[in-house]
C-alpha cells in the first residue's frame, strides 16, 4: 500500500484571535479532514527551520526583528498578523515543514505539506499574512544541498507571487511562474519569470486549460528537475478573497492535472496549500484538502 508522505504539526494552529480574517485554525481542521478523507497518507513532523538557512534568503535584520518581536508597527501591519511567541514558533516550524516536504518529495517522488505557500514575503519584509517565503527558502535549500539544480515554483494561488518573484529574480537555478487573478492583491506586482493573468469570474474549463497549458510550456522550455507546487485554494468560487469562479471539481482537475503531469515525467514534486479564506473554517480546510486528495491519487498510481 502506497502511503503519500504528508507534513504537519499540531503547533501550526496556535492560539489566535478567532474573528481574524486569517483562518489560523484551518491547519488543524485540514489535518482532521485529511485523516477522514485521505486515509492513505503517512504524516511526518517537521523541525524548525535553522536560522542560517533562513538568512540565506531573508535579510538578517528582518529575521532578527521578527524573531524577537521588535519589528515596528508599520512592518507588522503589512504582515497583517498579531505577533506572539506562538506565531513566531509556528512560522519557523512551518518553514521547516516546507523544507521537509521537499526532502520527502526527493525521496519518494511526491509529498504534500499541510501548510506553506507564503509567497508575499520579500527579502526584508513580510506582507499579506506572509512572514518568511517558504517557496524561495526551500528552492534555495534544494539547490544549496545539491538536491536539485533547476527548481520550478509553480504558483497557482489566486494572488500574484510577488515576494517569490522579487527574491529569485536573478537566480538562474529557479523559475518562478505565477497564475493569478489580474485585479487581485498585490496591487504592485513584481514580474515573475512567467506571469499569467486571469480575468475576474474565470470558470473551470478555461482556468484548468490555462494552468495545464502553461505548465506544459514551462516544462518543455525550461526543463525543471524539481517542482514546488503552490496549490492555493483561493481560486475557489466561494473564497472571500479570490475573484475567480472555480468549483471544487475544477480545483481537483487542476491539482490532479498538475501533479500527474509532473510525476508522469519523473520529476519530484512538493505541494504546499497556499491561500484559502472563508469565515467557515471547516469549508476552507476541505478546499485545501483537495490537493492532498489529488496527490494521493497520483501517488497510488506511481
Ligand atoms: Zn492567495
Amino acid at each position: 500500500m502506497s502511503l503519500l508522505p504528508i507534513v504537519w504539526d499540531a503547533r501550526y494552529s496556535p492560539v489566535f484571535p478567532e474573528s481574524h480574517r486569517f483562518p489560523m485554525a484551518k491547519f488543524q481542521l485540514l489535518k482532521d479532514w485529511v485523516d477522514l478523507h485521505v486515509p492513505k497518507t503517512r504524516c511526518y513532523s517537521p523541525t524548525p527551520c535553522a536560522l542560517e538557512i533562513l538568512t540565506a534568503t531573508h535579510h538578517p535584520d528582518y529575521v532578527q526583528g521578527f524573531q524577537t518581536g521588535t519589528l515596528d508597527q508599520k512592518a507588522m501591519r503589512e504582515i497583517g498578523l498579531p505577533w506572539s511567541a506562538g506565531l513566531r514558533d509556528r512560522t519557523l516550524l512551518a518553514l521547516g515543514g516546507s523544507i521537509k516536504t521537499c526532502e520527502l518529495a526527493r525521496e519518494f517522488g511526491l509529498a504534500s505539506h499541510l501548510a506553506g505557500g507564503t509567497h508575499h514575503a520579500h527579502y526584508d519584509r513580510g506582507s499579506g499574512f506572509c512572514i518568511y517565503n517558504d517557496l524561495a527558502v526551500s528552492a534555495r535549500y534544494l539547490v544549496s544541498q545539491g538536491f536539485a539544480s533547476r527548481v520550478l515554483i509553480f504558483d497557482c494561488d489566486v494572488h500574484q507571487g510577488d515576494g517569490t518573484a522579487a527574491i529569485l529574480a536573478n537566480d538562474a537555478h529557479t523559475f518562478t511562474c505565477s497564475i493569478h487573478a489580474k485585479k487581485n492583491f498585490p496591487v504592485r506586482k513584481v514580474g515573475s519569470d512567467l506571469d499569467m493573468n486571469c480575468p475576474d469570474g474565470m470558470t473551470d474549463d478555461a482556468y484548468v486549460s490555462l494552468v495545464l497549458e502553461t505548465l506544459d510550456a514551462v516544462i518543455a522550455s525550461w526543463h525543471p528537475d524539481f517542482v514546488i507546487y503552490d496549490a492555493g485554494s483561493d481560486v475557489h468560487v466561494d473564497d472571500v478573497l479570490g475573484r475567480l469562479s472555480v468549483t471544487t471539481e475544477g480545483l481537483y482537475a487542476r491539482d490532479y492535472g498538475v501533479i500527474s503531469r509532473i510525476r508522469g515525467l519523473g520529476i519530484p514534486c512538493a505541494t504546499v496549500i497556499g491561500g484559502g479564506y472563508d469565515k467557515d473554517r471547516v469549508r476552507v480546510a476541505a478546499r485545501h484538502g483537495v490537493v492532498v486528495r489529488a496527490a494521493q491519487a497520483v501517488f497510488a498510481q506511481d
Side-chain angles (χ1 to χ4, degrees):
M1 190 167 70
S2 45
L3 301 176
L4 172 75
I6 61 170
V7 176
W8 176 83
D9 192 284
R11 288 168 288 177
Y12 282 2
S13 288
V15 175
F16 196 76
E18 183 53 40
S19 59
H20 197 282
R21 192 155 65 143
F22 187 82
M24 194 62 84
K26 72 181 183 180
F27 304 99
Q28 177 66 54
L29 296 168
L30 171 58
K31 178 60 162 52
D32 296 343
W33 190 92
V34 167
D35 286 347
L36 199 61
H37 298 276
V38 196
K40 290 181 179 173
T41 55
R42 179 173 169 195
C43 188
Y44 294 79
S45 280
T47 51
C49 179
L51 289 179
E52 59 266 28
I53 294 175
L54 183 50
T55 52
T57 296
H58 288 284
H59 195 298
D61 292 348
Y62 171 61
V63 172
Q64 165 85 4
F66 181 74
Q67 292 308 119
T68 54
T70 54
L71 289 179
D72 63 33
Q73 273 192 357
K74 183 172 170 287
M76 284 311 298
R77 244 196 332 269
E78 205 182 340
I79 290 170
L81 301 170
W83 195 91
S84 69
L87 178 71
R88 176 195 61 200
D89 295 347
R90 71 88 56 206
T91 298
L92 272 196
L93 194 62
L95 196 56
S98 288
I99 290 171
K100 177 86 182 167
T101 307
C102 287
E103 290 174 337
L104 290 165
R106 182 172 168 262
E107 187 177 347
F108 296 101
L110 180 60
S112 292
H113 192 198
L114 306 194
T118 45
H119 59 171
H120 299 308
H122 286 253
Y123 173 63
D124 56 0
R125 63 185 171 89
S127 172
F129 307 140
C130 300
I131 297 157
Y132 302 130
N133 193 311
D134 66 316
L135 304 170
V137 168
S138 298
R140 284 254 168 91
Y141 172 80
L142 286 168
V143 172
S144 72
Q145 296 299 306
F147 295 160
S149 59
R150 299 174 70 80
V151 181
L152 166 62
I153 295 173
F154 193 65
D155 185 345
C156 289
D157 188 289
V158 81
H159 304 99
Q160 201 249 349
D162 59 335
T164 321
I167 292 171
L168 299 175
N170 298 310
D171 191 323
H173 293 287
T174 59
F175 189 98
T176 55
C177 176
S178 176
I179 304 175
H180 51 265
K182 186 172 194 285
K183 290 186 183 165
N184 218 324
F185 178 93
V187 177
R188 211 176 321 134
K189 298 180 172 46
V190 178
S192 311
D193 292 312
L194 180 64
D195 284 294
M196 300 301 281
N197 292 305
C198 300
D200 283 0
M202 204 174 191
T203 51
D204 287 0
D205 286 356
Y207 174 72
V208 175
S209 297
L210 174 71
V211 168
L212 298 183
E213 284 165 16
T214 302
L215 177 65
D216 286 344
V218 172
I219 290 178
S221 62
W222 197 72
H223 308 295
D225 61 9
F226 200 102
V227 181
I228 302 175
Y229 173 42
D230 183 339
S233 76
D234 43 13
V235 297
H236 195 276
V237 60
D238 294 332
D239 191 276
V240 293
L241 299 185
R243 301 179 72 102
L244 306 187
S245 300
V246 177
T247 66
T248 301
E249 291 70 36
L251 207 55
Y252 186 85
R254 178 194 72 173
D255 293 343
Y256 184 86
V258 166
I259 298 165
S260 61
R261 272 168 163 74
I262 296 165
R263 291 303 302 136
L265 294 166
I267 304 168
C269 178
T271 75
V272 298
I273 65 170
Y277 306 91
D278 196 313
K279 281 204 177 80
D280 185 330
R281 276 42 174 150
V282 174
R283 288 204 318 184
V284 79
R287 297 203 285 266
H288 281 310
V290 169
V291 65
V292 185
R293 190 157 58 85
Q296 200 283 323
V298 174
F299 195 74
Q301 297 159 7
D302 239 7

